[in-house]
Amino acid sequence: MGENLENINPKLYKKLDDREITVEEQDEDVADEFDAREIFDIIRNINDPEHPLTLEELNVVEQNLIEVNDRRNTVDIKFTPTIPHCSMATLIGLSIRVQLLRALPARFKVSVEISPGTHVSEAAVNKQLADKERVAAALENSMLLGVINQCLAPRN
Amino acid sequence: MGTLELKQSLTGHRGRVWSVCWHPKGANLASCGEDKTIIIWGLEGPKWVTKMILTEGHSRTIRELAWSTCGNYIASASFDATTAVWDKKSGQFECNATLEGHENEVKSVSWSISGQLLATCSRDKSVWVWEVNDDEYECAAVINAHTQDVKKVRWHPHEEILASASYDNTVKIFKEDAADSDWSCIATLSSHTSTVWSLSWDKIGNRIATCSDDKTVKIWREYKPGNDMGVATPNNESVWKCVCTLSGYHTRTVYDIDWCKTTGLLVTACGDDIIRIFKEDSDCDPHQPNFTMVCSADSAHAQDVNCVQWNPTIPGQLASASDDSSVKIWFYNE
């Protein structure tokens, strides 16, 4: 997708420092719940479909736009497309969904939505991402799944 | 409050189970899902066991199945864009017809009461009506009335009238015009504010219950031309009005609803893992009915409940299917 970049010169953002692991977290006898930082760590290194950059570096995902309620099994994520008419918004949302689907226990209900007011087709993209039947059908499409896996593959 | 008693949890599917359907005599149950198989369950003594597993009919997820009224056929709708019809002429269920034509995923399938018509709908926004003649299936109509993905089709319980629910937030009703045998949309039911996932006719066929991503359930009533209530009926066609909205009960998307033809109870399948049962208040105004929630089974499944269906012959018995890979058999005690 190198030839026709929609956003030629995206703004870059500083990455968060690595998470410090506390003594409590290393203690196997202490049950620790999922928190926003942990969810952020799962999705921060997803690659942008257009740029050799992560969603964190492009500020598409941010820790403070993640809400987690471990006891109620909910994870709500808002993401911010780099430009308001980004045609990759659905693909980015889908990549976030798939990453969490694979990483989190099945009990979690994940919602992935565009940060309010940051995209021209916000409602349509949100509706599509929330429709689990259409998401399931999309993930059976091997071409699309290939593209998503590329976004999710770690870079060295 | 009534209680929902779990009779048995049936395991066998790998991955999400999308749909369950009772045999019309109520002694067998069929289920299907993302593992591309159909499992037929039956009783052995007090226990439900796998009687048959149907494979190789579809290359992708089987979204829904429907048993014909006579009980001799099963139709299955798949994301592979085809609908398969299985029969047991050879003694075993075999796929002997594959209906092609939809451009992409087939979402739902339904047999008319006579067994002479089959309806399918798809993400390609169309509803197809197929005529059945001696095991040959011929497309009688392609209806492009919806503007988005069509989620569900259901025939009227006694007549050749079809209802469909869509991602475009509406339900539409279709009938064949006797003059030119063209199928056309005779009513559009607009009130839901998001995807309508499912619908169920009542026993008589003059009411429809719908459920939606907007977390509500709605009850619609038919007003025929010349009705006593003075509801205007332009074009001399029935008008459908929303006479009741059940809101505040479901906390996530309502994926399925079934209106019991014997008890009149409504059951819903919800993305919050709960199965709820609603009962119509006795002596309420039929034009402003009231429904009371009589049961709410928390954590009925470990994940989203995708489908619920009342047993057609055993009042109170019901089956459910879930993302948690299981099918469950329940009994509702008042």
Side-chain angles (χ1 to χ4, degrees), chain B residues 153-187:
Chain B
V153 277
R154 288 288 180 261
W155 288 100
H156 186 283
H158 314 293
E159 295 171 50
E160 292 187 336
I161 293 173
L162 182 67
S164 62
S166 165
Y167 189 88
D168 70 12
N169 306 352
T170 69
V171 169
K172 286 181 183 282
I173 295 176
F174 309 103
K175 203 173 79 179
E176 187 180 22
D177 186 335
D180 55 7
S181 62
D182 242 5
W183 285 80
S184 56
C185 174
I186 52 167

Coordinates of all heavy atoms in Angstrom, one line a residue, chain B residues 153-187:
Chain B
V153 N -35.3 -14.1 7.9 CA -36.6 -14.2 7.2 C -37.5 -15.2 8.0 O -37.0 -16.2 8.5 CB -36.4 -14.8 5.7 CG1 -36.1 -13.6 4.8 CG2 -35.4 -15.9 5.6
R154 N -38.8 -14.9 8.1 CA -39.7 -15.8 8.7 C -41.1 -15.8 8.0 O -41.7 -14.7 7.9 CB -39.9 -15.4 10.2 CG -38.7 -15.7 11.1 CD -38.6 -17.2 11.4 NE -37.4 -17.5 12.2 CZ -36.2 -17.9 11.8 NH1 -36.0 -18.0 10.5 NH2 -35.2 -18.1 12.7
W155 N -41.6 -17.0 7.7 CA -42.9 -17.0 7.1 C -44.0 -16.9 8.1 O -43.9 -17.3 9.3 CB -43.1 -18.4 6.3 CG -42.3 -18.5 5.1 CD1 -41.1 -19.1 4.9 CD2 -42.7 -17.9 3.8 NE1 -40.7 -19.0 3.6 CE2 -41.7 -18.3 2.9 CE3 -43.8 -17.2 3.3 CZ2 -41.7 -17.9 1.5 CZ3 -43.8 -16.8 2.0 CH2 -42.7 -17.1 1.1
H156 N -45.1 -16.4 7.7 CA -46.4 -16.3 8.5 C -46.8 -17.7 8.9 O -46.5 -18.7 8.1 CB -47.5 -15.7 7.6 CG -48.7 -15.4 8.3 ND1 -49.7 -16.4 8.5 CD2 -49.3 -14.2 8.7 CE1 -50.7 -15.8 9.1 NE2 -50.5 -14.5 9.2
P157 N -47.4 -17.9 10.1 CA -47.7 -19.3 10.5 C -48.7 -20.0 9.7 O -48.8 -21.3 9.7 CB -48.2 -19.1 12.0 CG -48.5 -17.7 12.1 CD -47.7 -16.9 11.1
H158 N -49.6 -19.3 9.0 CA -50.6 -20.0 8.2 C -50.7 -19.6 6.7 O -51.2 -20.3 5.9 CB -52.0 -19.7 8.8 CG -52.0 -19.9 10.3 ND1 -51.8 -21.1 10.9 CD2 -52.2 -19.0 11.3 CE1 -51.9 -20.9 12.2 NE2 -52.1 -19.7 12.5
E159 N -50.2 -18.4 6.4 CA -50.3 -17.9 5.0 C -49.0 -17.7 4.3 O -47.9 -17.7 5.0 CB -51.1 -16.5 5.1 CG -52.5 -16.7 5.6 CD -53.1 -15.3 5.8 OE1 -53.0 -14.4 4.9 OE2 -53.6 -15.0 6.9
E160 N -49.0 -17.5 3.0 CA -47.8 -17.3 2.3 C -47.4 -15.8 2.3 O -47.4 -15.1 1.3 CB -47.9 -17.9 0.9 CG -48.0 -19.4 1.0 CD -48.0 -20.1 -0.3 OE1 -48.3 -19.5 -1.3 OE2 -47.6 -21.3 -0.3
I161 N -47.1 -15.3 3.5 CA -46.7 -14.0 3.7 C -45.4 -14.1 4.4 O -45.2 -14.9 5.3 CB -47.7 -13.2 4.6 CG1 -49.0 -13.0 3.8 CG2 -47.2 -11.9 5.0 CD1 -50.2 -12.5 4.6
L162 N -44.4 -13.2 4.0 CA -43.0 -13.3 4.5 C -42.6 -12.1 5.2 O -42.9 -11.0 4.8 CB -42.1 -13.6 3.3 CG -40.6 -13.8 3.6 CD1 -40.4 -15.1 4.4 CD2 -39.8 -13.8 2.3
A163 N -41.9 -12.2 6.3 CA -41.4 -11.0 7.0 C -39.8 -11.1 7.0 O -39.3 -12.3 7.1 CB -41.9 -10.9 8.4
S164 N -39.2 -10.0 6.9 CA -37.7 -10.0 7.0 C -37.2 -8.9 7.9 O -37.8 -7.8 8.0 CB -37.1 -9.8 5.6 OG -37.5 -8.6 5.0
A165 N -36.0 -9.1 8.5 CA -35.5 -8.1 9.4 C -34.1 -7.8 8.9 O -33.4 -8.6 8.4 CB -35.4 -8.7 10.9
S166 N -33.7 -6.5 9.1 CA -32.4 -6.1 8.5 C -31.5 -5.1 9.3 O -32.0 -4.5 10.3 CB -32.8 -5.4 7.2 OG -31.7 -4.6 6.6
Y167 N -30.3 -5.1 8.9 CA -29.3 -4.1 9.4 C -29.7 -2.7 9.1 O -29.2 -1.7 9.7 CB -28.0 -4.4 8.7 CG -26.7 -3.8 9.1 CD1 -25.9 -4.4 10.1 CD2 -26.2 -2.6 8.5 CE1 -24.7 -3.8 10.4 CE2 -25.0 -2.1 8.8 CZ -24.2 -2.7 9.8 OH -23.0 -2.1 10.2
D168 N -30.7 -2.5 8.2 CA -31.2 -1.1 7.9 C -32.2 -0.7 8.9 O -32.9 0.3 8.7 CB -31.7 -1.1 6.5 CG -33.0 -1.8 6.2 OD1 -33.7 -2.2 7.2 OD2 -33.4 -2.0 5.0
N169 N -32.4 -1.4 10.0 CA -33.2 -1.1 11.2 C -34.7 -1.4 11.0 O -35.5 -1.1 11.8 CB -33.1 0.4 11.6 CG -31.7 0.8 11.9 OD1 -30.8 -0.1 11.9 ND2 -31.4 2.0 12.2
T170 N -35.1 -1.9 9.8 CA -36.5 -2.1 9.5 C -36.9 -3.6 9.4 O -36.0 -4.5 9.2 CB -37.0 -1.5 8.2 OG1 -36.4 -2.2 7.1 CG2 -36.6 0.0 8.1
V171 N -38.2 -3.9 9.5 CA -38.7 -5.2 9.2 C -39.7 -4.9 8.0 O -40.3 -3.9 7.9 CB -39.5 -5.7 10.4 CG1 -40.4 -6.9 10.0 CG2 -38.6 -6.1 11.5
K172 N -39.7 -5.8 7.0 CA -40.5 -5.6 5.9 C -41.4 -6.9 5.7 O -41.0 -8.0 6.1 CB -39.7 -5.4 4.6 CG -39.1 -3.9 4.6 CD -38.3 -3.6 3.3 CE -37.7 -2.2 3.4 NZ -38.7 -1.1 3.1
I173 N -42.6 -6.7 5.1 CA -43.5 -7.8 4.9 C -43.8 -7.9 3.4 O -44.0 -6.9 2.7 CB -44.8 -7.6 5.7 CG1 -44.4 -7.7 7.2 CG2 -45.8 -8.7 5.4 CD1 -45.4 -7.4 8.2
F174 N -43.7 -9.1 2.9 CA -43.8 -9.4 1.4 C -45.0 -10.3 1.1 O -45.2 -11.2 1.9 CB -42.5 -10.0 0.9 CG -41.3 -9.2 1.3 CD1 -40.5 -9.7 2.3 CD2 -41.0 -8.0 0.7 CE1 -39.3 -9.0 2.6 CE2 -39.8 -7.3 1.0 CZ -39.0 -7.8 2.0
K175 N -45.6 -10.1 0.0 CA -46.7 -10.9 -0.4 C -46.7 -11.0 -1.9 O -46.2 -10.1 -2.6 CB -48.0 -10.3 0.0 CG -49.2 -11.3 0.1 CD -50.4 -10.7 0.8 CE -51.2 -9.9 -0.2 NZ -52.4 -9.3 0.3
E176 N -47.2 -12.1 -2.5 CA -47.2 -12.3 -3.9 C -48.5 -11.6 -4.4 O -49.6 -11.8 -3.9 CB -47.2 -13.8 -4.3 CG -47.1 -14.0 -5.8 CD -47.1 -15.5 -6.1 OE1 -47.6 -16.3 -5.3 OE2 -46.6 -15.9 -7.2
D177 N -48.3 -10.8 -5.5 CA -49.5 -10.2 -6.1 C -50.1 -11.2 -7.1 O -49.4 -11.7 -8.0 CB -48.9 -9.0 -6.9 CG -50.1 -8.2 -7.5 OD1 -51.2 -8.8 -7.7 OD2 -49.9 -7.0 -7.8
A178 N -51.3 -11.6 -6.8 CA -52.0 -12.7 -7.5 C -52.1 -12.3 -9.0 O -52.0 -13.2 -9.9 CB -53.4 -12.9 -7.0
A179 N -52.2 -11.1 -9.4 CA -52.4 -10.6 -10.8 C -51.1 -11.0 -11.6 O -51.3 -11.6 -12.7 CB -52.7 -9.2 -10.8
D180 N -49.9 -10.6 -11.1 CA -48.8 -10.8 -12.0 C -47.7 -11.7 -11.3 O -46.6 -11.8 -11.8 CB -48.1 -9.5 -12.4 CG -47.8 -8.6 -11.2 OD1 -47.9 -9.1 -10.0 OD2 -47.4 -7.5 -11.3
S181 N -48.1 -12.4 -10.3 CA -47.3 -13.3 -9.5 C -45.9 -12.6 -9.2 O -44.9 -13.3 -9.2 CB -47.1 -14.7 -10.1 OG -46.5 -14.6 -11.3
D182 N -45.9 -11.4 -8.9 CA -44.7 -10.6 -8.5 C -44.7 -10.5 -7.0 O -45.7 -10.2 -6.4 CB -44.7 -9.2 -9.1 CG -43.6 -9.0 -10.0 OD1 -42.8 -10.0 -10.3 OD2 -43.4 -7.9 -10.5
W183 N -43.6 -10.7 -6.3 CA -43.5 -10.5 -4.9 C -43.1 -9.1 -4.6 O -42.1 -8.6 -5.2 CB -42.4 -11.5 -4.3 CG -43.0 -12.9 -4.2 CD1 -43.0 -13.8 -5.2 CD2 -43.5 -13.5 -3.1 NE1 -43.6 -15.0 -4.8 CE2 -43.9 -14.8 -3.5 CE3 -43.8 -13.1 -1.7 CZ2 -44.5 -15.7 -2.6 CZ3 -44.3 -14.0 -0.9 CH2 -44.7 -15.3 -1.3
S184 N -43.9 -8.5 -3.8 CA -43.5 -7.1 -3.4 C -43.7 -6.8 -1.9 O -44.4 -7.5 -1.2 CB -44.3 -6.1 -4.3 OG -45.7 -6.4 -4.1
C185 N -43.1 -5.7 -1.5 CA -43.1 -5.3 -0.1 C -44.5 -4.6 0.1 O -44.8 -3.6 -0.5 CB -42.0 -4.3 0.2 SG -42.0 -3.6 1.8
I186 N -45.2 -5.1 1.1 CA -46.5 -4.5 1.4 C -46.5 -3.7 2.7 O -47.5 -3.0 3.0 CB -47.7 -5.6 1.4 CG1 -47.3 -6.7 2.4 CG2 -47.9 -6.1 0.0 CD1 -48.5 -7.6 2.7
A187 N -45.5 -3.8 3.5 CA -45.4 -3.0 4.7 C -44.0 -2.9 5.2 O -43.2 -3.8 5.0 CB -46.3 -3.6 5.8

